[in-house]
């Protein structure tokens, strides 16, 4: 049996399922069965080794801010929320996620600040956020 | 592969227009054909860049529409969309069509219309170039993407807000010399530093404007170019991509796609960054110019801010960057930008740039970045 025919949908972590779980407070990454590379869904092929077999792996949600900004001029759909903070957060496991930062004073934002995942809903859609660690 | 040359260029006034993007393109294209002394009937294909036509003009299928308005309805036409790099991507594919021998005369261009909608809407449409599930949901904006780059660069290298402001001051100074520029007004460091915050640490004057405009150029095979008055040769045209998600980018202080596209272009042309005399690069935000000058190898990583501050990238400096005024002052009609940058470098290499001429420029580089840094094109041009 070829790699491709065994490999379909091995992790079960579709984009829709990832955000459904995130809404419940759980972050689920995917790990390549071939080489162990960790990624966030959705990915069909491993960018490191090309394999097509993934397994779900729970992520701690703990990390530090790698970079951040405060959006003051917002898109039409988010105008009521401004100003709001967005950060790239490097999780303890090594993958990074972009998210809103909530419950942290804007002037306390800093590269290296420890934060922890928390789910939010923006305009009826589940999204990633981080609060104080 | 056959050699390829640019023999005609055309750019509309940049700023606010009451005409459709197809009309803006058609004006630029007719100017480019006239400049090339090329009858429209000899054009064999149109490669066209347009990004948010579906949103701002409720217009898809903009390629054949543009060709029809120009008056060449029957040529094969394709619209490219790689966010802000669209017409540079169109250019690269047109180069390959001619280099391969498939065609001898190809029209390349792009146009955009955005000032007909409110800023909150255009901000939203531009954000469509980031990931819908992961990023748009958060309210991430285009300035927000480069604010993340800026903060990472400041943290890693100590780049300052004053150094970023120096890029805006320099490009506005250049823009004064460009009659097609949207803004022809000098500004001071204070203007930038005291302008309202858009996405910390980027302020209003760190950001390029929304712009309506069109640009076009006539690309031909060597055989056709030999019969034209002043061909400018395409020495290389390279593209690179990178991870779409901000979270998947390993080091936000860099734009790896710029580094890869530049390396490929220098290799194709057999030259290096120090052989380049004039550069038009993608300064959608001041930090973007700083990071691009590093990624293109003009300065060491971390030295881009200093280069701007010291005037090394000004007209008269060691390597003039964005003599046109750049996206910052000339304006950024996204679908037209890549083509407009090429038009400027061609004009510079012809020695026809008037008061903004880089004296004796023999080789030029254009760099166009798409949206969230996931697309970059770099092309090199020469007089010989
Ligand atoms: Zn793998």
């Amino acid at each position: 049996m070829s790699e491709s025919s065994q490999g379909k949908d091995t992790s079960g972590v579709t984009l829709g399922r990832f955000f459904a779980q995130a809404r419940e407070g759980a972050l689920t990454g995917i790990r390549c069965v071939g080489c162990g590379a960790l990624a966030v869904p959705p990915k069909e092929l491993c960018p490191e080794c090309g394999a097509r077999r993934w397994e779900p792996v729970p992520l701690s949600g703990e990390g530090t801010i790698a970079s951040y900004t405060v959006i003051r001029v917002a898109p039409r759909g988010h105008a009521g929320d401004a100003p709001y903070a967005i950060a790239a957060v490097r999780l303890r496991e090594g993958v990074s996620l972009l998210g809103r930062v909530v419950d942290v004073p804007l002037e306390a934002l800093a590269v290296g600040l420890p934060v922890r995942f928390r789910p939010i809903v923006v305009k009826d859609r589940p999204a990633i956020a981080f609060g104080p660690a | 592969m056959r050699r390829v040359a640019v023999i005609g260029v055309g750019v509309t006034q940049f700023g606010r227009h009451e005409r459709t993007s197809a009309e803006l393109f058609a004006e630029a294209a007719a100017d480019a054909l006239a400049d090339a002394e090329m009858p429209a009937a000899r054009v064999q294909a149109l490669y066209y860049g347009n990004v948010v036509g579906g949103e701002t003009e409720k217009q898809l299928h903009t390629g054949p529409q543009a060709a029809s308005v120009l008056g060449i309805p029957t040529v094969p036409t394709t619209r490219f969309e790689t966010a802000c790099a669209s017409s540079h991507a169109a250019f690269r594919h047109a180069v390959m069509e001619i280099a391969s021998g498939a065609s001898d005369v190809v029209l390349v261009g792009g146009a955009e219309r955005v000032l007909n909608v409110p800023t909150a809407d255009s901000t939203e449409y531009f954000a469509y170039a980031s990931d819908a599930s992961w990023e748009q949901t958060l309210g991430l904006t285009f300035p927000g993407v480069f604010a993340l780059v800026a903060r990472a660069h400041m943290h890693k290298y100590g780049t300052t807000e004053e150094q970023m402001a120096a890029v805006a001051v320099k490009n506005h100074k250049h823009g004064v010399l460009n009659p097609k520029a949207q803004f022809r007004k000098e500004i001071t460091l204070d203007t930038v530093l005291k302008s309202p915050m858009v996405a910390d640490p980027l302020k209003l004057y760190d950001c390029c404007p929304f712009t309506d405009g069109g640009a076009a150029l006539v690309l031909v095979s060597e055989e056709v170019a030999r019969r034209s008055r002043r061909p400018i040769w395409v020495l290389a045209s390279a593209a690179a991509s990178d991870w779409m998600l901000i979270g998947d980018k390993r080091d936000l202080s860099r734009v790896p796609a710029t580094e890869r596209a530049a390396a490929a272009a220098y290799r194709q042309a057999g030259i290096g960054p120090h052989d380049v005399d004039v550069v038009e690069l993608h300064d959608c935000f001041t930090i973007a110019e700083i990071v691009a000058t590093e990624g293109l190898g003009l300065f060491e990583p971390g030295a881009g801010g200093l280069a701007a501050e010291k005037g090394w990238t000004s007209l008269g400096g060691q390597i003039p960057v964005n003599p046109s005024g750049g996206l910052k002052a000339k304006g950024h009609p996204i679908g037209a930008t890549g083509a407009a940058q090429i038009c400027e470098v061609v004009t510079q290499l012809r020695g026809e740039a008037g008061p903004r001429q880089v004296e004796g420029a023999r080789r030029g580089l254009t760099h166009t970045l798409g949206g969230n840094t996931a697309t970059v094109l770099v092309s090199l041009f020469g007089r010989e």
Side-chain angles (χ1 to χ4, degrees), chain A residues 31-38 45-54:
Chain A
R31 193 197 318 273
C32 173
V33 174
C35 74
L38 191 64
L45 303 177
C46 173
E48 302 294 334
C49 76
R52 199 180 180 182
R53 296 199 63 188
W54 299 93

Side-chain angles (χ1 to χ4, degrees), chain B:
Chain B
M1 300 283 266
R2 305 193 302 172
R3 295 186 77 200
V4 179
V6 181
I7 62 163
V9 295
V11 180
T12 66
Q13 183 70 44
F14 279 10
R16 184 182 293 273
H17 286 284
E18 297 306 324
R19 286 173 290 159
T20 62
S21 58
E23 292 175 285
L24 296 174
F25 163 75
E27 176 195 322
D31 284 349
L33 289 166
D35 183 44
E37 298 172 355
M38 176 64 68
R42 287 189 60 194
V43 173
Q44 293 166 288
L46 167 61
Y47 285 67
Y48 185 63
N50 175 254
V51 183
V52 291
E55 287 74 29
T56 62
E57 300 184 284
K58 300 198 187 308
Q59 182 67 62
L60 293 177
H61 219 184
T62 53
Q65 188 200 35
S68 290
V69 173
L70 175 60
I72 53 165
T74 61
V75 304
T77 298
T78 308
R79 172 227 180 156
F80 287 74
E81 190 273 298
T82 56
C84 315
S86 296
S87 56
H88 201 157
F91 172 80
R92 174 170 172 263
H93 287 80
V95 169
M96 294 191 289
E97 170 151 341
I98 295 175
S100 69
S103 292
D104 288 304
V105 181
V106 174
L107 197 56
V108 179
E112 208 69 55
R113 181 103 188 277
V114 290
L115 290 173
N116 58 333
V117 300
T119 298
D121 289 330
S122 38
T123 301
E124 172 143 347
Y125 302 149
F126 281 35
Y128 290 173
S130 55
D131 189 272
S133 305
W134 283 96
E135 298 175 340
Q136 289 177 37
T137 41
L138 299 172
L140 181 69
T141 60
F142 226 82
V145 170
F146 280 87
L148 293 166
V149 171
R151 187 63 69 186
H153 205 271
M154 292 164 81
H155 182 74
K156 186 169 177 183
Y157 298 114
T159 301
T160 65
E161 294 181 43
E162 288 76 10
Q163 289 173 333
M164 292 191 262
V167 173
V169 171
K170 184 260 296 178
N171 288 345
H172 271 262
K173 195 169 178 185
H174 292 175
V176 171
L177 307 173
N178 183 354
K180 299 282 178 74
Q182 184 167 1
F183 299 126
R184 302 191 65 197
K185 181 168 71 86
E186 287 208 37
I187 59 169
T188 64
L189 281 180
D190 246 25
T191 319
V192 186
L193 295 170
K194 290 183 177 157
S195 62
M197 202 60 93
V198 172
D200 308 25
L202 301 183
K203 295 163 276 296
L204 183 62
Y205 273 85
D206 286 300
C207 309
C208 70
F210 292 107
T211 307
D212 301 335
L217 52 103
V218 179
L219 205 57
V220 299
S221 62
E222 177 165 17
E223 191 184 296
V224 177
R226 290 287 173 213
R227 297 193 295 270
S228 81
R229 281 194 296 130
R230 51 205 192 315
I232 297 298
W233 299 95
V234 181
L235 307 181
S237 190
S241 298
D242 193 29
W243 288 110
M244 181 74 177
L245 296 185
I246 300 287
D248 281 339
K249 300 177 199 283
R250 297 288 153 83
D251 179 354
L252 286 172
S253 73
R254 292 170 48 194
V255 176
T258 291
E259 297 166 23
R260 283 197 291 274
Y266 291 135
R267 200 164 50 240
Q268 275 178 36
I271 64 173
H274 301 295
D275 299 313
V276 173
D277 305 309
V278 57
V279 174
E280 280 285 309
L281 60 71
H282 202 83
D283 60 321
C284 48
F285 300 92
T286 52
I287 186 64
E289 173 161 325
I290 290 172
V291 176
T293 57
E294 298 168 8
L296 294 170
L298 305 174
F299 302 100
E300 292 297 310
L306 186 70
E309 185 181 357
K310 295 284 187 193
W312 299 338
T313 51
S314 298
L315 274 167
Q318 67 185 67
I319 174 70
V321 170
N322 289 327
S324 70
L327 281 51
K328 179 72 192 81
K330 181 185 59 183
H332 182 24
I334 46 179
T337 280
Q341 292 172 310
I342 294 167
C343 291
E344 174 69 13
V345 161
V346 166
T347 303
Q348 289 281 347
L349 297 182
R350 286 171 168 181
E352 297 174 355
R356 64 181 194 281
Q357 179 67 43
V358 175
E359 281 312 316
R362 302 185 65 78
R363 293 199 190 91
L365 180 152
T366 60
H367 161 270
T368 321
L369 178 151
N372 53 1
T373 77
T375 297
V376 171
L377 284 106
V378 173
S379 295
L380 289 162
F381 301 85
R383 268 199 235 165
E384 310 301 331

